[in-house]
Amino acid sequence: MSDQDWESEPIIITITEDDLGSYKRLDQLLSDHIDQLSRTMLKKLFEDNKITSSNSSAPLSLKKLPPIDTEICVNIPPPADLETKPENIPIEILYE
């Protein structure tokens, strides 16, 4: 997967009446709508202020759903660079 795949627009989810009947918590709703993220990752994004509400004056909470028609904006950052560098490690060979 290239870096460009992750540099997309934020994911916008609008809370509907059906959502209020189906879910009790915002993290449950988001994990069902965004398959690539676990609830643990959603919690980290929330703590990093990557999950915001674009039209609600009340602060968001992962433990309860906001009102109907609230737009939730989820900004997924690009994955961390996992490039590893080789090291010369002296190893004594005991048996060959």
Side-chain angles (χ1 to χ4, degrees):
M1 180 178 288
S2 72
D3 288 339
Q4 291 177 350
D5 294 338
W6 287 89
E7 293 177 6
S8 61
E9 294 291 317
I11 298 170
I12 307 285
I13 297 172
T14 303
I15 305 298
T16 64
E17 194 171 327
D18 290 339
D19 293 332
L20 288 180
S22 301
Y23 302 99
K24 295 183 191 249
R25 298 170 51 117
L26 180 59
D27 58 350
Q28 292 172 334
L29 177 132
L30 292 175
S31 67
D32 279 355
H33 281 73
I34 308 171
D35 292 332
Q36 72 241 29
L37 297 178
S38 66
R39 284 173 59 184
T40 303
M41 183 61 179
L42 286 168
K43 182 178 179 183
K44 177 159 179 25
L45 289 174
F46 185 78
E47 290 169 353
D48 293 342
N49 294 320
K50 301 290 185 186
I51 299 176
T52 58
S53 171
S54 60
N55 60 351
S56 175
S57 60
L60 286 178
S61 169
L62 288 179
K63 295 186 179 185
K64 67 178 201 170
L65 281 177
I68 295 174
D69 293 332
T70 301
E71 289 185 350
I72 306 298
C73 179
V74 180
N75 293 299
I76 302 173
D81 187 19
L82 298 177
E83 186 176 320
T84 57
K85 308 238 184 222
E87 273 184 59
N88 187 11
I89 302 173
I91 298 176
E92 181 183 340
I93 298 175
L94 299 176
Y95 179 76
E96 208 174 301

